[in-house]
């Protein structure tokens, strides 16, 4: 391990105002590096934006707090659009070997990092799946418009050429295959494909077997998929979910992540933590 990696391992958990601007100046510009994230070893490509933010300790800080506050030992989390495994690593560190963290990632490039996370750290509580979730079983093209900010999507838009074709299944089928009766937290970040993922979970939703949903609302990609942030918001509310902060405002036309819970007891406990 490089000396600079050890320094950033120390700095990563420390949060302060202006951190991203300060530490970014001293981090390596690119290249593959090893990092300790939630006490687990990860392999990160610093030339790619998301992985760089993880390396700096500046990635999705509010969403990280939500997940850390919600999960408890023994719980089950499904990470849809796991990318290189940041939230999978967080879930694994919290739920422990008595719980379960399931990561679903369609990109071969990102999935290799997930494999490293699981094998390097010997995580029996983590199951990883190379493929995607949708509203039916089949094969789907995977696109990406920006290689530096690597956020693949199954939404065809703007004349993009497919990166690859991936197998897809429904969340209902995956849960049945793994004999999962309940998902305590479902995290979905799939660049506009969120409604299709939820349409593939009709059985789980009908029997109220999903306790909470951490969902990205990216209006640009949702509209490219023929939906919108407002329509996705209404879909989740129609299934009984509510913003844990009792925030009734609809996500705006930008990019926003909300944590929605099924019961008010969970919402009150989150607010107290």
């Amino acid at each position: 391990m490089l000396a600079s990696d050890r320094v950033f391992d120390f700095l990563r958990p420390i949060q302060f105002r202006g951190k991203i601007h300060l530490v970014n100046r001293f981090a390596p510009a690119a290249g593959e590096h090893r990092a300790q994230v939630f006490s687990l070893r990860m392999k990160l490509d610093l030339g790619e934006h998301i992985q760089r933010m993880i390396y700096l300790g500046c990635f999705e800080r509010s969403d990280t707090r939500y997940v850390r506050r919600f999960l408890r030992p023994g719980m089950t989390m499904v990470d849809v659009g796991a990318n290189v495994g940041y939230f999978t690593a967080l879930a694994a560190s919290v739920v422990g070997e008595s719980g379960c963290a399931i990561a679903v990632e369609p990109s071969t490039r990102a999935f290799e990092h997930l494999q490293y996370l699981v094998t390097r750290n010997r995580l029996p509580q983590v199951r990883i799946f190379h493929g995607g979730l949708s509203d039916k079983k089949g094969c789907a093209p995977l696109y990406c418009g920006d290689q530096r900010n690597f956020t693949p999507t199954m939404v065809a838009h703007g004349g993009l050429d497919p990166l690859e074709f991936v197998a897809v299944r429904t969340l209902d089928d995956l849960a049945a295959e793994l004999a999962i009766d309940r998902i305590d937290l479902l995290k979905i970040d799939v660049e506009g494909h969120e409604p299709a993922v939820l349409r593939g979970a009709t059985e789980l939703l009908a029997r109220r077997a999903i306790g909470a949903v951490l969902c990205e609302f990216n209006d640009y990609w949702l509209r490219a998929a023929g939906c919108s942030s407002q329509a996705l918001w209404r879909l989740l509310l129609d299934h009984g979910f509510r913003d844990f902060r009792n925030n009734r405002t609809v996500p705006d036309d930008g990019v926003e992540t909300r944590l929605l819970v099924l019961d008010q007891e969970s919402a009150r406990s989150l607010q107290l933590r």
Side-chain angles (χ1 to χ4, degrees), residues 77-79 82-89 92 100-108 110-120 123-132 169 174 177-178:
M77 173 178 168
V78 176
D79 187 357
N83 204 291
V84 298
Y86 176 84
F87 283 105
T88 301
C100 184
I102 300 161
V104 183
E105 174 52 46
S107 162
T108 299
F111 188 76
E112 291 173 353
H113 291 261
L114 270 175
Q115 288 179 306
Y116 177 89
L117 170 71
V118 175
T119 57
R120 172 65 176 79
L123 299 172
Q125 70 269 43
V126 177
R127 300 286 302 275
I128 58 176
F129 294 89
H130 184 199
R169 68 174 90 182
L174 180 62
E177 176 186 321
L178 299 178

Side-chain angles (χ1 to χ4, degrees), residues 16-78:
F16 53 88
R17 183 176 297 178
K19 177 184 179 180
I20 186 172
H21 301 293
L22 177 62
V23 297
N24 191 45
R25 295 168 54 192
F26 299 100
E32 192 173 90
H33 290 256
R34 303 299 188 267
Q36 183 166 293
V37 181
F38 309 119
S39 300
L40 302 174
R41 304 307 301 176
M42 294 187 71
K43 180 173 64 175
L44 300 172
D45 177 0
L46 301 196
E48 191 272 304
H49 176 71
I50 289 176
Q51 296 181 59
R52 187 175 187 83
M53 292 300 101
I54 295 172
Y55 183 84
L56 299 179
C58 299
F59 181 67
E60 303 287 3
R61 287 182 285 192
S62 60
D63 295 347
T64 300
R65 288 195 296 271
Y66 295 158
V67 173
R68 196 192 297 274
R69 288 164 66 181
F70 183 83
L71 289 179
R72 287 290 179 267
M75 283 187 168
T76 295
M77 173 178 168
V78 176

Side-chain angles (χ1 to χ4, degrees), residues 30-254:
E32 192 173 90
H33 290 256
R34 303 299 188 267
Q36 183 166 293
V37 181
F38 309 119
S39 300
L40 302 174
R41 304 307 301 176
M42 294 187 71
K43 180 173 64 175
L44 300 172
D45 177 0
L46 301 196
E48 191 272 304
H49 176 71
I50 289 176
Q51 296 181 59
R52 187 175 187 83
M53 292 300 101
I54 295 172
Y55 183 84
L56 299 179
C58 299
F59 181 67
E60 303 287 3
R61 287 182 285 192
S62 60
D63 295 347
T64 300
R65 288 195 296 271
Y66 295 158
V67 173
R68 196 192 297 274
R69 288 164 66 181
F70 183 83
L71 289 179
R72 287 290 179 267
M75 283 187 168
T76 295
M77 173 178 168
V78 176
D79 187 357
V80 186
N83 204 291
V84 298
Y86 176 84
F87 283 105
T88 301
L90 172 57
S93 71
V94 176
V95 303
E97 293 190 12
S98 63
C100 184
I102 300 161
V104 183
E105 174 52 46
S107 162
T108 299
R109 175 171 148 185
F111 188 76
E112 291 173 353
H113 291 261
L114 270 175
Q115 288 179 306
Y116 177 89
L117 170 71
V118 175
T119 57
R120 172 65 176 79
N121 297 283
R122 299 180 182 178
L123 299 172
Q125 70 269 43
V126 177
R127 300 286 302 275
I128 58 176
F129 294 89
H130 184 199
L133 294 185
S134 192
D135 52 0
K136 58 185 176 182
K137 184 178 181 179
C139 183
L142 189 67
Y143 306 89
C144 186
D146 185 349
Q147 292 294 324
R148 181 171 173 80
N149 185 20
F150 190 67
T151 50
T153 176
M154 292 182 186
V155 179
H157 184 60
L160 297 175
D161 293 326
L163 288 173
E164 57 184 303
F165 288 84
V166 299
V168 296
R169 68 174 90 182
T170 68
L171 181 56
D172 281 337
D173 286 345
L174 180 62
E177 176 186 321
L178 299 178
I180 295 173
D181 293 326
R182 177 178 174 81
I183 297 170
D184 296 291
L185 177 60
L186 172 64
K187 173 251 172 186
I188 319 176
D189 183 355
V190 286
E191 307 301 318
H193 203 62
E194 288 82 2
V197 173
L198 292 170
R199 288 196 300 270
T202 53
E203 183 180 334
L204 288 164
L205 291 168
R207 57 186 182 85
R208 299 172 69 85
I210 300 175
V213 179
L214 181 69
C215 186
E216 182 184 76
F217 294 80
N218 186 325
D219 198 64
Y220 174 84
W221 283 112
L222 285 165
R223 289 188 181 277
C227 190
S228 68
S229 291
Q230 291 81 4
L232 177 57
W233 178 254
R234 288 194 298 271
L235 175 63
L236 286 163
L237 264 58
D238 286 347
H239 283 290
F241 293 98
R242 295 293 182 270
D243 189 298
F244 86 95
R245 297 163 300 184
N246 292 321
N247 185 352
R248 299 178 185 274
T249 60
V250 177
D252 61 23
D253 58 1

